Amino acid sequence: MKTKKVGISGGSGGLGLAITRKFLADNYEVVWIGNNEAELIQGKEMLLKAFQGASIDYFVADLTNANDFERLHAWLAEHHQDITVFINNAGFTTFGYVNEISEKWEENMIALNILATYKLTRVFLQWMMERNDGTIINISSNSSFQPSPRITTYAATKAFVTSFSRGLQEELKMQGSNVLVMTVCPAAIQDTAFKKKAKMDKVKTFNGIAFTTAKEVADDLWNGFLKKRDFVVSGWKMRILYRIKWLVPYRIQLWMVKNETKETI
Ligand SMILES: NC(=O)c1ccc[n+]([C@@H]2O[C@H](COP(=O)([O-])OP(=O)(O)OC[C@H]3O[C@@H](n4cnc5c(N)ncnc54)[C@H](OP(=O)(O)O)[C@@H]3O)[C@@H](O)[C@H]2O)c1
């Protein structure tokens, strides 16, 4: 029988956990990469109760750290080259005016959202292209669709993820490869730690025009994966907005985004 093994960065928390449940329900073996060992252990124990007999392996690595990345690469090469679906999910945002945000914090975000996503994509691209089979799923964001003041740098990192992943998918098609690169763009997710970590609890977008939940995004990702879609806008309200976005003048789009990143209290 064909191997069914999914690798997920940041899989033990938030959206990653919701996605893991979808794959476990279809009997996939799971491999997590995360920087928080306590969360990895706790998440594994919880899921093994819900999915008895499931296989969950993990590796502790800060994906922004070059030494950790080298150790991770060696471990994957030895144990998990046969991963059939790899999901670049780990990511975070900063919040505020760029000139007021710690530069170190933003550099760390760029290292994770852009560089780690790029490097892990290359690692799995090589192995999957050798087998001419496999799927890489990159979690981007609706903020990749236009500049997003007050999450300016985050939106720019996700613009990279969307453009890189979609460009790569077209290159694979041009080469007649069976490897698929899928880009998933969720709207603001209400129920993960993401907003709290960025001190964005009071920001309107998480209760705004098109918010979504981790479960809805995981469902959309799963349905897109089954249909071999290369681009998924997640959250039904966001999908409607995305369809009509092209009719809305840029200045009005910006006004809407600025309104969404206001603090409500
Ligand atoms: N939440 C939203 O509104 C939203 C909207 C659109 C797109 N997204 C994207 O969805 C993805 C998942 O976000 P989420 O909402 O699930 O956030 P989350 O709950 O904060 O989960 C992010 C996961 O990534 C891990 N991580 C963070 N930094 C890492 C590092 N340096 N090395 C390894 N792992 C690291 C986190 O571990 P720790 O617990 O140690 O931090 C956590 O397990 C991200 O790419 C995010 O940009 C989120």
Side-chain angles (χ1 to χ4, degrees), residues 35 62-65 89-98 101-118 139 141 143 148 150-161 194 197-198 200:
N35 61 343
D62 174 353
L63 287 169
T64 66
N65 179 298
N89 165 73
F92 70 86
T93 188
T94 54
F95 176 60
Y97 297 118
V98 171
I101 302 172
S102 139
E103 195 173 332
K104 210 169 161 210
W105 191 24
E106 293 228 299
E107 278 182 8
N108 196 250
M109 174 178 67
I110 292 166
L112 181 65
N113 295 8
I114 296 183
L115 203 56
T117 298
Y118 172 78
I139 306 297
S141 166
S143 60
S148 302
R150 305 231 291 164
I151 50 167
T152 293
T153 313
Y154 172 73
T157 68
K158 292 300 185 176
F160 170 87
V161 174
F194 179 90
K197 287 176 191 169
M200 289 180 79

Side-chain angles (χ1 to χ4, degrees), residues 124-247:
F124 283 99
L125 185 66
Q126 189 200 329
W127 292 335
M128 289 179 183
M129 283 188 84
E130 279 165 14
R131 297 196 304 266
N132 196 24
D133 189 33
T135 304
I136 297 169
I137 303 179
N138 288 340
I139 306 297
S140 187
S141 166
N142 65 345
S143 60
S144 71
F145 302 154
Q146 70 290 303
S148 302
R150 305 231 291 164
I151 50 167
T152 293
T153 313
Y154 172 73
T157 68
K158 292 300 185 176
F160 170 87
V161 174
T162 296
S163 181
F164 172 65
S165 310
R166 299 197 78 184
L168 185 55
Q169 167 54 22
E170 289 311 307
E171 287 186 5
L172 288 165
K173 270 202 242 168
M174 288 160 81
Q175 295 171 85
S177 173
N178 287 333
V179 177
L180 180 79
V181 178
M182 179 177 164
T183 310
V184 177
C185 296
I189 306 171
Q190 212 175 38
D191 55 348
T192 68
F194 179 90
K195 60 180 180 186
K196 193 157 195 267
K197 287 176 191 169
K199 300 188 172 57
M200 289 180 79
D201 295 75
K202 293 171 185 159
V203 171
K204 190 175 170 184
T205 191
F206 296 99
N207 252 316
I209 192 166
F211 67 86
T212 182
T213 62
K215 185 180 177 310
E216 187 182 24
V217 179
D219 286 346
D220 287 342
L221 180 150
W222 182 252
N223 292 333
F225 171 67
L226 292 182
K227 290 178 184 150
K228 298 190 190 306
R229 291 262 156 81
D230 57 25
F231 184 62
V232 169
V233 176
S234 180
W236 66 270
K237 287 169 274 184
M238 192 62 227
R239 271 196 294 283
I240 296 172
L241 287 175
Y242 185 74
R243 290 233 168 91
I244 60 170
K245 172 183 159 47
W246 314 105
L247 306 169

